Amino acid sequence: MGKQDDAAEVVDAVRRQLEGHMSPRVLLLVRRARAVLTNDEEAEDLFGAALRDPAGEGWPFEQAVVLLEYGQWLRRKRRTSEARNELARALTVFEQLGARPYAERAAAELRACGVSVRGDDGASRGNERLTPQQLQIARLAATGLTNRQIGERLLLSARTIGFHLYL
């Protein structure tokens, strides 16, 4: 039995243990994990279920990761036009959240689909600007709010706020 099979067994055990008691976020994560670990016949249905659940909108990062992985899956299936849509949606969310490593992954996948991505010309490299979220955090900090108060407004941890302000 391989590592993927072991991981699938763990996810199924968690699903069985929490059946009927999962929060929307945990349900989204379980569906995503099952989609990534399952055979191709079930994967599309699981990705779809994860993305159709309106509760997932409360967890934009997690939902964007599902979009990214679904887009990767679609691209591997040579369904590039569908993949482009999912990957572009994921990239937008990652950029809005300031999740650079994930934005870079989504951009790389889009390039693999033949899409030119902002910043591909190299002009913006080394000349980084604040993301919309970082700008919002900086503006709130300038008003005198504490990291905790900013985090409460933006639904982020005080530690995350501190990280963005330190950059």
Side-chain angles (χ1 to χ4, degrees):
M1 200 186 268
K3 290 181 181 181
Q4 188 166 342
D5 292 332
D6 291 343
E9 279 186 27
V10 170
V11 171
D12 282 337
V14 167
R15 183 185 52 81
R16 284 190 305 272
Q17 183 73 25
L18 298 177
E19 195 76 47
H21 302 289
M22 281 188 252
S23 69
R25 183 179 186 203
V26 171
L27 183 58
L28 177 70
L29 295 173
V30 167
R31 284 176 174 158
R32 174 187 146 224
R34 290 183 63 216
V36 169
L37 296 169
T38 193
N39 64 42
D40 288 340
E41 296 167 11
E42 294 176 68
E44 187 160 20
D45 290 337
L46 290 165
F47 278 124
L51 293 170
R52 281 189 304 273
D53 188 347
E57 293 174 13
W59 305 100
F61 176 79
E62 287 83 352
Q63 193 172 45
V65 173
V66 175
L67 287 167
L68 172 61
E69 290 175 344
Y70 184 41
Q72 290 172 318
W73 183 85
L74 288 166
R75 189 179 66 77
R76 285 193 309 270
K77 298 293 170 199
R78 302 192 191 292
R79 293 166 55 185
T80 53
S81 63
E82 293 170 84
R84 286 180 194 131
N85 292 334
E86 306 304 330
L87 294 167
R89 289 174 53 201
L91 177 60
T92 299
V93 173
F94 292 138
E95 287 177 339
Q96 289 172 347
L97 295 175
R100 280 192 201 126
Y102 283 89
E104 290 169 6
R105 276 182 58 195
E109 288 291 328
L110 276 168
R111 283 190 290 276
C113 289
V115 176
S116 179
V117 180
R118 289 182 302 267
D120 278 354
D121 62 358
S124 63
R125 290 190 186 107
N127 187 17
E128 296 185 32
R129 303 198 187 285
L130 293 177
T131 65
Q133 184 178 38
Q134 289 169 331
L135 185 58
Q136 187 177 23
I137 290 169
R139 285 183 176 147
L140 290 171
T143 67
L145 294 175
T146 66
N147 289 0
R148 174 170 274 142
Q149 291 168 326
I150 296 169
E152 288 171 358
R153 285 190 185 191
L154 301 179
L155 303 175
L156 297 169
S157 72
R159 190 175 196 175
T160 300
I161 301 301
F163 173 78
H164 284 297
L165 291 173
Y166 180 74
L167 293 176

